[in-house]
Amino acid sequence: MTSQADAGRPSRLLRNLSAKIASIPMMLTAVVIFLGGTLWTVVYSFTNSKLLPRLSYVGLDQYERLWAAPRWVVSIQNLAIYGFFTLVFSLVMGFVLAALMDQKIRFENTFRTIFLYPFALSFIVTGLVWQWILNPEFGIQSVVRSLGFTGFTFDPLYDSDIVIYGILIAGLWQGTGLVMCLLLAGLRGIDEDIWKAARVDGIPVWRTYLFIVIPMMRPVFITTLVIIASGIVRVYDLVVAQTSGGPGIASEVPAKYVYDYMFQAQNLGQGFAASTMMLVTVAIIIVPWAYLEFGGRRRG
């Protein structure tokens, strides 16, 4: 009976055949455009292309020139600082807000909308708003001084030593609401019986979160980390809107470096080399995520 039933079933390759056929155009698009464009960028990063691409290979010269450029080194340092604090603060603040929202508070939908609203704004709008807020002439510094605190100083966008933290403030304001919503969805997926059992056993709430709830939310945290990390690598609009890379080159980031060299300096080879380094950064993020997400499932 079993062999007859198996014989009547279509092979795994032919299952959901219509859906697989419908996905062919998207798969071809992904392979030809994304994969092809990526390979094209990597290949031309080893050339001396200027205004137009040309296959005049120069080996690793573009990469040597890239890592010898102070502007690129500063942009990598800024990305590391911005990325570390964005990951830490957005996850911590997002989880705290999600835990508070999970207490079935009144006007939950209103608060959730308020916290998520900044994410609906474009990065350019967010950057311009925070440029005004942090402007010492009519922003926070001006308001506090008008209250009598004449010695108060708060102008991070005009101080090359802390300008990246001014950009960080705007990034956290915009992105923390999304993190809160993702983690809140994960918290709502925790079985209520687990909370009841923890209360019966007398386990403190903080221990329940730390040793029971958070480990159960591992897939949600991994997905959230990938979303945050991909946004960190691509940060560009906030910098352009707030500082345009200044003062000097103090707030440069890799994405701006790539854009400036490819479309303003007309040095495609250098822009392709910087793009390839960004691709390596993305791969460092995506490969562990794919392993944790799919490799772990396969072992389970």
Side-chain angles (χ1 to χ4, degrees):
M1 293 290 292
T2 304
S3 59
Q4 292 179 356
D6 292 339
R9 293 179 183 175
S11 65
R12 178 175 295 183
L13 184 63
L14 298 178
R15 292 176 188 171
N16 301 320
L17 185 60
S18 59
K20 292 178 179 178
I21 294 174
S23 66
I24 289 176
M26 191 61 207
M27 293 173 61
L28 291 176
T29 301
V31 171
V32 174
I33 296 180
F34 296 112
L35 183 59
T38 299
L39 293 175
W40 189 81
T41 299
V42 173
V43 169
Y44 277 90
S45 70
F46 295 99
T47 68
N48 193 29
S49 301
K50 295 295 183 182
L51 178 61
L52 296 173
R54 58 177 183 173
L55 285 173
S56 56
Y57 291 102
V58 293
L60 296 174
D61 286 0
Q62 294 290 4
Y63 293 93
E64 293 174 359
R65 193 176 303 130
L66 177 69
W67 286 103
R71 183 179 174 186
W72 174 256
V73 175
V74 169
S75 71
I76 292 297
Q77 292 172 346
N78 285 336
L79 187 67
I81 294 171
Y82 179 87
F84 173 78
F85 286 107
T86 297
L87 279 173
V88 172
F89 284 115
S90 61
L91 278 176
V92 171
M93 292 190 297
F95 185 78
V96 170
L97 290 173
L100 292 174
M101 297 286 286
D102 194 41
Q103 305 306 310
K104 309 298 190 296
I105 61 175
R106 295 183 62 186
F107 308 111
E108 177 188 329
N109 291 336
T110 302
F111 284 114
R112 191 164 53 199
T113 302
I114 292 172
F115 287 128
L116 189 59
Y117 176 74
F119 188 74
L121 302 176
S122 71
F123 286 103
I124 292 293
V125 172
T126 298
L128 290 175
V129 168
W130 278 95
Q131 183 191 55
W132 299 334
I133 294 174
L134 299 177
N135 190 302
E137 295 183 3
F138 47 82
I140 294 175
Q141 177 176 298
S142 176
V143 172
V144 174
R145 286 186 177 183
S146 67
L147 298 176
F149 301 94
T150 55
F152 179 79
T153 300
F154 187 67
D155 55 350
L157 298 185
Y158 297 85
D159 186 338
S160 59
D161 292 330
I162 60 173
V163 62
I164 192 63
Y165 299 101
I167 296 171
L168 174 67
I169 293 171
L172 289 174
W173 179 79
Q174 182 167 37
T176 302
L178 175 65
V179 176
M180 179 205 71
C181 287
L182 293 172
L183 297 181
L184 179 60
L187 286 172
R188 292 287 164 84
I190 302 297
D191 195 335
E192 188 65 29
D193 291 338
I194 293 175
W195 291 104
K196 293 178 181 177
R199 286 193 292 268
V200 169
D201 293 338
I203 302 175
V205 174
W206 68 271
R207 291 179 65 90
T208 304
Y209 275 113
L210 192 60
F211 296 107
I212 300 176
V213 174
I214 291 179
M216 293 181 66
M217 292 175 59
R218 175 177 164 272
V220 178
F221 274 104
I222 292 174
T223 301
T224 304
L225 280 171
V226 171
I227 293 173
I228 297 172
S230 63
I232 290 169
V233 174
R234 295 182 290 105
V235 63
Y236 170 80
D237 313 64
L238 283 177
V239 175
V240 171
Q242 287 185 273
T243 65
S244 294
I249 60 171
S251 60
E252 285 288 337
V253 289
K256 187 175 182 298
Y257 184 96
V258 171
Y259 179 86
D260 288 348
Y261 268 87
M262 291 184 69
F263 299 106
Q264 294 184 4
Q266 297 179 351
N267 189 339
L268 291 180
Q270 184 69 182
F272 288 147
S275 299
T276 302
M277 295 309 303
M278 291 181 66
L279 174 66
V280 171
T281 305
V282 173
I284 292 173
I285 296 169
I286 295 298
V287 170
W289 168 77
Y291 175 78
L292 291 172
E293 193 71 6
F294 301 109
R297 288 181 182 176
R298 190 175 295 114
R299 286 197 306 271

